[in-house]
Amino acid sequence: MNLTPKQEAFCLAYIETGNASEAYRRAYDVGENTKPETINVKASELLAHGKVSVRVEELRAGHTKRHNITVDSLTGDLIEDRQSARNNDQTNVAVTATMGIAKIHGFDRVKLEHSGGVEISASPEWARVQGVILSALVPFPEAKRAVADALTTYEAGNEPSP
């Protein structure tokens, strides 16, 4: 697969951090005055890029296989950690372990409710959807800018103006 060195660095940083924006900051020359929204859009676009998303999945699969990590093994470890924390009166540690269990089973997702009853999860999938939409709008820079602004406004908890 022919990725640029920066794309490969992005993939590696994304696997390490799990955060596309942070991975983008690490892999690309991002100025200190660059708006977080710009970084988020660029990172989403990169994640939506076919070769990049395939590489991320390759790295993730290799990492999981190499370390024999499964949801069941992680859950078991966290249950043991939680019980040990409870036995040692470490409430904060027990709560952290419980939240870890919730996270790997998908119960920690933040749901944004739209007045029309539509729920959107703040998740990597949502970031990829945003990236796909913005990539499709590349030939239409004004529309792309308007959609990016509307998504940023929406994520900030406000309704975009018509």
Side-chain angles (χ1 to χ4, degrees):
M1 183 170 325
N2 296 330
L3 294 179
T4 68
K6 287 185 178 186
Q7 287 172 327
E8 180 69 16
F10 171 83
C11 293
L12 294 169
Y14 182 70
I15 291 298
E16 178 187 340
T17 65
N19 183 310
S21 294
E22 178 59 26
Y24 188 85
R25 281 185 203 91
R26 289 183 183 189
Y28 288 82
D29 299 321
V30 177
E32 59 185 58
N33 295 329
T34 305
K35 292 181 181 178
E37 296 84 10
T38 301
I39 294 170
N40 183 301
V41 168
K42 292 291 189 183
S44 295
E45 288 174 351
L46 203 51
L47 269 181
H49 185 279
K51 289 181 180 179
V52 171
S53 63
V54 168
R55 180 64 176 143
V56 166
E57 289 308 314
E58 285 176 354
L59 291 168
R60 185 176 288 140
H63 184 76
T64 299
K65 184 176 180 181
R66 186 171 47 256
H67 297 286
N68 196 25
I69 298 171
T70 65
V71 170
D72 289 339
S73 68
L74 290 172
T75 301
D77 290 347
L78 288 166
I79 288 171
E80 288 177 20
D81 294 343
R82 181 177 61 189
Q83 191 56 50
S84 176
R86 285 180 176 167
N87 292 342
N88 292 305
D89 293 324
Q90 295 176 317
T91 306
N92 290 342
V93 176
V95 169
T96 301
T98 300
M99 293 308 297
I101 293 167
K103 185 173 185 172
I104 63 173
H105 289 277
F107 295 118
D108 71 324
R109 300 222 173 151
V110 176
K111 303 249 179 177
L112 305 173
E113 290 191 27
H114 184 272
S115 61
V118 176
E119 290 185 0
I120 298 174
S121 243
S123 67
E125 291 82 14
W126 172 239
R128 281 192 281 272
V129 168
Q130 288 177 345
V132 168
I133 291 168
L134 295 173
S135 293
L137 292 171
V138 166
F140 312 98
E142 289 180 24
K144 180 180 176 182
R145 198 170 15 265
V147 170
D149 291 345
L151 289 170
T152 301
T153 300
Y154 182 78
E155 288 180 339
N158 302 314
E159 288 294 320
S161 58

